[in-house]
């Protein structure tokens, strides 16, 4: 009961962030809503799929951006009409949503099945391979995209055109992010989710208890792919364009950096990390001094380095440490070890 | 005395014939024959490196045998995966505790109970089914004397408590055969006594195989003892026979050691 205050503060802040997200379009300049905040929500979704796999399945996947890209390319091919690369099928954007997510999830099942035997660094390398394959696939299969990519991807008419109504897409992204977040939070407390955490902690023990570890990993990977795919659909609506550079290695690393800056052990950290990343990315480019404007990579690299050294749990780790320090001062007992919520634990590296 | 039992289960619950396991050039287990009767309490003794744990891994299916055959409940399980053997009724613990450190005590047992049931992949909570699983998990928590620690993260339990939980995990699937790998290792004297009582209090229909270095625990719990050395079974007998056996003394207890009592 002693750690109730910390939990209350944590939830209170979470609630405030949600309220802010709801009223933000009325408070901040349109540039913020249409660009920074929408992009934060979308990148947060992809990073959350990575954090889900890492925190609950022990799988640090570099393929999330590829799966998100596959969903995006499917949407692009199906829904554009005439003047761009790709199949230009001109279908209703809602079909794009369904097929984009379904196809990307099927690919995720395949990737998951192929990588389900591997753990640790080997898993990382296999998913890196997937990322590279996806990148070159869309670059070289010119029927589907080519290096120039697909432009003019429309959002459904209920939401778009995005340039005219940026608020609508912002709220759609907010709603989707919220639903996916709630879904992931729910799933980790189901039989599937608890078993997944068992697989994370000790796969050998899980098999001797009667579990099919590879199947479990595969399905978890597919679920992570589904979440990333939802982000991919939103990305092409927001960006109206996708090309292989959108899923190249630097984009993969961006999402990994977001997840690490936020904190690889807690889902909320995805959006925190994405916000810091997007804001830094935007403002560093406007800084006039030290030629920093062209050196975003250097700046984010230094931020990354500082965070990894100061707090392996990322910004969320710093936050939790502050909360537990405050809690300790109040109660004079060391309750700091107890995490705020069951099921969240720092991965031991 | 146990003629009725013998005729009822003429077949042993576990039968090994010529079982071997190689790791490259190392022959960790070789040509082991073993029959364990239903409801028997068997201890496996032997010096470090004798192949006891490897034998466990081969029986439970964590490593497949490289030669020989394993029959469990009359069924050939030599090529059956570990998770299917668990469902047939094998439960085990590990020499080094293998628990899920990021989960609570109750969730650990929840997983152990769920393991041999349907619905591993169910992505929704079905309240009725879940309550049943959790009810069973809490029963097990009480049975291994961890009441009140339900929501403690396993990583924060003491070593002794983790060993207790290990036994709860092995019991959770209601196994017909329970294999305990050095359950008393690292325990204090008092904890060993508690553990022995816990083992003696187990349902007599459960067959128990125990690897144990602590002779007090092993010889109090076991009805029969199998002695291993260098990957082979060298002696098998009752605790009294083992205590009296000269080879055992030379190999395991060391020359000059006197059996007390």
């Amino acid at each position: 009961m002693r750690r109730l205050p910390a939990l209350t503060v944590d939830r209170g802040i979470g609630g405030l962030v949600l309220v802010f997200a709801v009223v933000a379009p009325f408070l901040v300049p349109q540039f913020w809503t249409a660009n920074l905040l929408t992009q934060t929500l979308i990148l947060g979704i992809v990073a959350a799929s990575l954090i889900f796999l890492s925190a609950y399945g022990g799988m640090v996947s570099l393929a999330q951006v590829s799966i998100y890209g596959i969903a995006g390319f499917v949407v692009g091919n199906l829904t554009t009409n005439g003047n761009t690369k790709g199949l230009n099928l001109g279908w209703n954007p809602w079909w794009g949503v369904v097929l984009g997510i379904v196809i990307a999830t099927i690919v995720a099942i395949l990737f998951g099945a192929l990588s389900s035997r591997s753990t640790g660094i080997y898993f990382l390398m296999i998913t890196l391979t997937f990322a590279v394959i996806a990148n070159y696939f869309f670059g070289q299969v010119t029927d589907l995209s080519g290096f120039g990519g697909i432009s003019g991807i429309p959002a459904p008419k209920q939401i778009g055109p995005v340039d005219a109504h940026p608020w609508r897409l912002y709220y759609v992204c907010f709603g989707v992010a919220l639903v996916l977040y709630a879904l992931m939070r729910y799933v980790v407390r189901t039989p599937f989710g608890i078993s997944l955490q068992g697989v994370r902690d000790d796969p050998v023990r899980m098999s001797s208890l009667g579990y099919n570890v590879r199947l479990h990993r595969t399905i978890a990977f597919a679920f992570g792919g589904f979440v990333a795919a939802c982000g991919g659909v939103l990305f092409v609506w927001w960006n109206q364009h996708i090309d292989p550079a959108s899923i190249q290695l630097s984009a993969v690393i961006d999402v990994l950096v977001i997840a690490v800056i936020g904190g690889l052990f807690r889902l909320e950290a995805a959006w925190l990390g994405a916000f810091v990343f997007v804001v830094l990315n935007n403002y560093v480019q406007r800084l006039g001094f030290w030629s920093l404007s062209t050196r975003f990579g250097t700046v984010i690299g230094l931020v990354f380095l500082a965070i990894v050294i100061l707090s392996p749990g990322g910004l969320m780790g710093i936050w939790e440490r502050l909360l537990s320090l405050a809690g300790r001062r109040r109660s004079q007992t060391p309750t700091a070890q107890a995490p705020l919520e069951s099921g969240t634990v720092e991965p031991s590296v | 005395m146990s003629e009725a039992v013998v005729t009822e289960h003429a077949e042993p619950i576990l039968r090994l014939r010529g079982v071997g396991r190689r790791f490259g050039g190392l022959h960790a287990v070789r040509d082991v024959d073993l029959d364990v009767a239903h409801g028997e309490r068997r201890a496996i003794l032997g010096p470090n490196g004798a192949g006891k744990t490897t034998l466990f891994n081969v029986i439970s299916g964590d490593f497949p045998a490289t030669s020989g055959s394993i029959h469990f409940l009359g069924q050939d399980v030599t090529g059956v995966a570990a998770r299917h053997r668990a469902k047939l009724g094998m439960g085990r613990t590990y020499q080094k505790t293998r628990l899920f450190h990021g989960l609570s005590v109750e969730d650990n047992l929840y997983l152990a109970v769920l393991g041999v049931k349907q619905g591993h992949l169910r992505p929704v909570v079905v309240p009725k089914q879940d309550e049943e699983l959790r009810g069973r998990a809490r029963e097990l928590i009480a049975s291994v004397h961890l009441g009140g620690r339900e929501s403690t993260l396993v990583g924060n339990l003491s070593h002794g408590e983790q060993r207790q939980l290990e036994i709860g995990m092995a019991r959770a699937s209601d196994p017909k055969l329970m294999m305990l790998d050095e359950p008393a290792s690292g325990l204090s004297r008092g904890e060993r006594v508690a553990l022995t009582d816990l083992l003696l209090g187990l349902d007599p229909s459960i067959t128990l195989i125990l690897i144990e270095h602590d002779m007090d625990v092993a010889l109090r719990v076991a009805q029969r003892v199998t002695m291993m050395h260098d990957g082979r079974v060298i002696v098998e007998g009752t605790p009294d026979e083992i205590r009296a056996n000269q080879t055992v003394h030379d190999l395991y207890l060391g020359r000059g050691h006197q059996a007390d009592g």
Side-chain angles (χ1 to χ4, degrees):
Chain A
M1 282 296 105
R2 274 200 204 95
R3 60 194 160 91
L4 195 65
L7 189 57
T8 313
V9 173
D10 202 58
R11 291 203 172 142
I13 299 280
L16 284 180
V17 170
L18 284 187
V19 170
F20 172 76
V22 172
V23 298
F26 305 96
L27 298 179
V28 299
Q30 184 173 328
F31 170 76
W32 269 73
T33 317
N35 290 285
L36 305 187
L37 294 182
T38 306
Q39 198 187 359
T40 295
L41 288 167
I42 295 169
L43 282 173
I45 291 172
V46 193
S49 78
L50 194 165
I51 292 178
F52 172 83
L53 290 175
S54 159
Y56 298 101
M59 301 183 270
V60 180
S61 162
L62 296 181
Q64 300 314 105
V65 172
S66 319
I67 293 164
Y68 136 112
I70 288 165
F73 278 110
V74 170
V75 171
N77 275 288
L78 295 181
T79 63
T80 49
N81 204 348
N83 303 317
T84 181
K85 288 276 194 180
L87 298 173
N88 284 305
L89 294 178
W91 293 7
N92 184 314
W94 291 110
W95 277 113
V97 175
V98 174
L99 283 172
I101 291 174
V102 167
I103 292 174
T105 307
I106 290 172
V107 173
I109 293 174
L110 274 174
F111 283 1
L114 285 172
S115 53
S116 62
R117 256 179 205 282
S118 313
T119 51
I121 188 82
Y122 303 101
F123 182 84
L124 197 79
M125 293 312 288
I126 285 193
T127 53
L128 177 65
T129 312
F130 294 149
V132 174
I133 290 173
N135 180 336
Y136 281 104
F137 176 84
F138 288 108
Q140 290 173 350
V141 180
T142 47
D143 289 338
L144 296 177
S145 162
F147 284 106
I150 302 173
S151 301
I153 301 170
K157 62 178 185 300
Q158 292 83 349
I159 298 168
V162 172
D163 292 330
H165 308 287
W167 287 17
R168 291 190 195 163
L169 184 62
Y170 170 79
Y171 280 117
V172 169
C173 290
F174 176 63
V176 171
L178 204 58
V179 168
L180 291 175
Y181 168 72
L183 185 65
M184 286 186 274
R185 283 289 298 261
Y186 175 78
V187 161
V188 298
R189 293 310 302 160
T190 62
F192 170 74
I194 299 175
S195 329
L196 180 63
Q197 294 171 69
V199 168
R200 167 200 68 196
D201 284 352
D202 193 336
V204 174
R205 183 64 188 254
M206 283 301 275
S207 347
S208 82
L209 288 176
Y211 292 86
N212 187 339
V213 168
R214 290 192 62 193
L215 182 66
H216 232 90
R217 285 211 182 104
T218 303
I219 292 179
F221 196 84
F223 177 69
F226 163 79
V227 173
C230 295
V233 171
L234 296 173
F235 169 74
V236 290
W237 287 351
W238 172 72
N239 200 37
Q240 298 166 44
H241 171 88
I242 186 167
D243 61 51
S246 315
I247 60 169
Q248 71 190 4
L249 215 50
S250 66
V252 171
I253 293 169
D254 285 350
V255 169
L256 185 64
V257 166
I258 287 171
V260 173
I261 288 181
L264 264 176
F265 69 105
R266 212 176 139 177
L267 291 171
E268 297 87 346
W271 287 278
L272 176 62
F275 181 74
V276 171
F277 183 91
V278 167
V279 170
L280 271 179
N281 190 1
N282 182 63
Y283 282 97
V284 166
Q285 286 180 17
R286 298 177 175 199
L287 292 177
F289 54 95
W290 298 340
S291 341
L292 277 179
S293 53
T294 54
R295 299 205 178 128
F296 171 65
T298 312
V299 173
I300 198 75
L302 289 173
V303 171
F304 182 80
L305 191 66
I307 284 181
V308 169
I309 291 171
L310 292 175
S311 165
L315 292 174
M316 202 53 98
I318 295 177
W319 164 245
E320 289 202 347
R321 223 181 301 164
L322 286 177
L323 271 185
S324 67
L325 269 179
R328 198 173 335 181
R329 197 157 299 155
R330 198 172 305 137
S331 62
Q332 295 297 317
T333 46
T335 55
Q337 282 173 328
L340 291 167
E341 286 152 65
S342 60
T344 63
V345 70
E346 279 188 65
S348 53
V349 180
Chain B
M1 66 162 192
S2 55
E3 206 160 307
V5 179
V6 171
T7 44
E8 193 185 332
H9 294 297
E11 280 278 294
I13 187 168
L14 182 72
R15 162 171 288 171
L16 273 60
R17 285 293 173 269
V19 166
R21 170 74 204 190
R22 273 177 173 284
F23 295 102
L26 175 71
H27 222 145
V29 168
R30 55 179 104 187
D31 203 23
V32 168
D33 291 351
L34 188 73
D35 285 305
V36 180
H38 284 264
E40 190 181 324
R41 267 90 175 107
R42 173 74 60 104
I44 297 181
L45 301 182
N48 285 328
K52 307 178 297 290
T53 296
T54 305
L55 184 67
F56 259 30
N57 285 334
V58 169
I59 297 173
S60 70
D62 287 10
F63 305 148
T66 41
S67 58
S69 70
I70 302 168
H71 284 76
F72 178 61
L73 292 165
Q75 185 184 341
D76 186 350
V77 296
T78 317
V80 172
R83 65 193 158 90
H84 295 305
R85 295 191 202 187
K87 286 185 176 148
L88 288 173
M90 283 191 193
R92 73 166 293 185
T93 67
Y94 291 82
Q95 190 174 1
K96 203 167 155 275
T97 51
R98 299 193 80 137
L99 297 164
F100 309 117
H101 285 248
L103 291 172
S104 67
V105 171
E106 186 176 312
D107 281 351
N108 269 259
L109 285 164
Y110 175 91
L111 285 180
V113 177
L114 177 65
V116 289
K117 295 194 155 60
Q118 296 294 311
H120 296 176
L121 297 171
R122 189 168 295 162
V124 288
V125 177
V126 180
K128 191 165 165 285
Q129 183 222 25
D130 221 54
E131 208 24 70
E132 212 178 291
L133 294 172
R134 295 210 170 269
R136 175 81 181 115
R138 283 190 287 264
E139 266 172 50
L140 287 159
I141 290 173
S143 80
V144 294
H145 314 305
L146 286 173
R149 311 296 304 256
E150 285 82 357
S151 55
T152 308
L153 278 188
V154 166
N156 295 340
L157 289 181
S158 75
H159 179 72
E161 289 170 324
Q162 292 190 2
R163 299 308 294 190
Q164 282 163 257
L165 179 57
E166 275 277 355
I167 292 173
M169 300 280 281
R171 285 175 70 177
S173 57
D174 290 322
K176 299 183 182 73
L177 170 66
M178 212 160 112
M179 297 186 282
L180 306 180
D181 194 345
E182 294 198 25
S185 77
L187 296 190
S188 70
R189 184 135 204 99
E191 288 170 329
R192 276 166 201 245
V193 173
L195 176 84
T196 313
D197 291 343
L198 206 141
L199 293 179
L200 288 169
L202 280 181
D203 179 350
S205 69
I206 299 176
T207 309
L208 190 71
I209 309 180
L210 182 77
I211 295 177
E212 190 46 73
H213 273 301
D214 186 315
M215 292 299 238
D216 291 344
V217 178
L219 297 184
R220 265 192 76 196
V221 174
Q223 299 159 338
R224 287 187 74 75
V225 176
T226 299
M227 183 80 201
M228 286 184 79
H229 179 62
D230 232 359
R232 297 174 204 275
V233 171
I234 51 163
V235 188
E236 196 179 305
T238 64
D240 288 337
E241 288 163 5
I242 292 296
R243 276 197 194 97
N245 188 296
Q246 194 54 45
T247 326
V248 173
H249 278 257
D250 292 349
L251 268 175
Y252 189 50
L253 303 172
R255 279 173 204 278
H257 182 102
Q258 288 301 313
D260 30 41

